[in-house]
Amino acid sequence: MSIAFLFPGQGSQSPGMLHQLLDHPEVERTLDEVTAVLGSDVRGFDSEEALASTVSVQLALLTSGVATARALIEKGAQPSVVCGLSVGAFAAAVVADVLSLEDAVELVKLRAGKMVELYPTDYGLSAIIGLGESQVLSVIQAVTTDQEPVFLANINAPLQTVIAGSDVGMERALEQARRQGARKAERLKVSVPSHCPLLQPVADLLQRSVSSLQLRKPKLTYVGNVNARAMRTPELIASDLANNIAHGVRWHDATTVARELGCNLFLEMPPGHVLSDLAKENLPGVNALPVERDILPRVLRLAHQEITAGG
């Protein structure tokens, strides 16, 4: 095993993201496939106005990830492992052939819509850089209340975490984190409190929906969000897809598992470069790159080198 595909989650979106994808027939095929499922052109989901909607953001991220991965595979950059952060996990499951793209679109639309229905305003996510997990848990314990709750949502790196909760509670936590020496403590472009118990109703709804689908045995190793384990059965992957929204994401552990499985090259599907930066900074000895048009020849060269070396 040598190549891992990384699929970003909400917060990585940017205006025009679906118009900046690779120029490849698989990209256009995927855009058309999603459009047919939605009944409206997904290419319109990446405007600045559209991206104010959590539903549009999550569907655009799913589309971008699957489209780019399909194009890379068609060009011979075959992954052995897929890791998706939050909603990126659905793209990972499609690429692993566990879930059809049509089913993934319906699940993501349901997921995002229910998240907004539960918490339309006054909640979200924030990032803290420079404090460890135990320090952030201490901060949360000091500020959280029943009325203004705060939770640990993501562990993206040893010194990079994400918290979820109410705006008021998170602001108290960010102030406390700065006083304790955090290099950065700021709100993210996410308006729902992902990956915490507040969204257990969404997880329950997804669990019921996923259980009615015909899932397939994965063709690639899928590394989960909740327990950061390599998963090779549709049942385990279905549980991770449904439940990651109500549990913290151990992203650093997940990419560490991918490295231990032999992955030397980590390719991040668009948009953005956060996940590839995290891999470069925290996984010694790996190559990690975002898949962008202007560096595609380099991406493919490295991919083919890894595949040849592995063979």
Side-chain angles (χ1 to χ4, degrees):
M1 296 185 179
S2 58
I3 301 175
F5 280 7
L6 309 179
F7 299 84
Q10 195 169 347
S12 296
Q13 69 273 9
S14 59
M17 54 183 279
L18 295 177
H19 291 78
Q20 298 163 9
L21 298 177
L22 303 180
D23 183 11
H24 192 279
E26 285 297 319
V27 170
E28 291 304 315
R29 181 174 75 85
T30 302
L31 293 170
D32 290 342
E33 188 176 346
V34 175
T35 293
V37 176
L38 292 174
S40 59
D41 195 341
V42 73
R43 295 167 181 83
F45 283 41
D46 69 354
S47 68
E48 188 167 355
E49 182 177 64
L51 291 178
S53 159
T54 295
V55 176
S56 295
V57 168
Q58 294 194 16
L59 288 169
L61 289 168
L62 170 68
T63 304
S64 175
V66 173
T68 303
R70 284 175 169 178
L72 289 176
I73 292 169
E74 183 68 20
K75 285 181 173 291
Q78 177 67 43
S80 298
V81 174
V82 290
C83 306
L85 176 61
S86 189
V87 72
F90 290 84
V94 172
V95 174
D97 200 39
V98 175
L99 192 64
S100 72
L101 179 56
E102 178 179 358
D103 286 340
V105 169
E106 296 293 354
L107 287 172
V108 168
K109 185 168 66 171
L110 178 68
R111 178 185 192 265
K114 188 64 174 178
M115 291 166 71
V116 174
E117 179 185 324
L118 286 173
Y119 294 97
T121 60
D122 303 324
Y123 284 79
L125 299 179
S126 299
I128 297 175
I129 299 175
L131 300 183
E133 179 180 353
S134 62
Q135 291 173 293
V136 174
L137 285 171
S138 177
V139 167
I140 289 171
Q141 186 176 13
V143 304
T144 191
T145 66
D146 290 342
Q147 293 74 32
E148 304 293 351
V150 183
F151 304 88
L152 179 61
N154 295 23
I155 304 168
N156 291 336
L159 295 177
Q160 182 168 330
T161 59
V162 174
I163 60 174
S166 74
D167 290 347
V168 173
M170 285 194 300
E171 187 53 45
R172 288 199 297 261
L174 295 177
E175 291 175 3
Q176 181 83 351
R178 295 183 194 108
R179 286 197 295 268
Q180 292 197 20
R183 296 197 305 275
K184 183 182 290 187
E186 63 183 20
R187 280 297 305 267
L188 296 176
K189 295 186 293 182
V190 182
S191 58
V192 285
S194 304
H195 309 299
C196 73
L198 295 174
L199 292 186
Q200 186 61 48
V202 183
D204 294 340
L205 178 62
L206 287 172
Q207 189 71 62
R208 293 193 295 271
S209 298
V210 171
S211 66
S212 69
L213 300 177
Q214 292 294 320
L215 303 180
R216 297 178 289 268
K217 183 178 179 179
K219 294 181 177 179
L220 308 169
T221 299
Y222 169 107
V223 181
N225 277 228
V226 178
N227 295 319
R229 293 174 56 190
M231 297 179 177
R232 298 181 176 88
T233 70
E235 294 79 14
L236 286 174
I237 294 170
S239 178
D240 188 69
L241 291 173
N243 290 305
N244 76 42
I245 195 61
H247 294 81
V249 173
R250 304 197 71 87
W251 181 253
H252 175 64
D253 291 346
T255 54
T256 299
V257 167
R259 180 68 184 90
E260 291 171 349
L261 289 170
C263 292
N264 300 310
L265 178 61
F266 289 71
L267 299 180
E268 180 178 2
M269 304 303 106
H273 51 82
V274 171
L275 302 185
S276 48
D277 286 348
L278 286 171
K280 282 187 291 187
E281 292 166 7
N282 298 286
L283 301 175
V286 306
N287 277 321
L289 296 166
V291 179
E292 299 171 342
R293 283 185 178 184
D294 57 347
I295 62 168
L296 181 60
R298 182 185 175 201
V299 167
L300 293 174
R301 184 174 66 252
L302 287 171
H304 294 153
Q305 287 172 355
E306 287 295 336
I307 291 170
T308 301

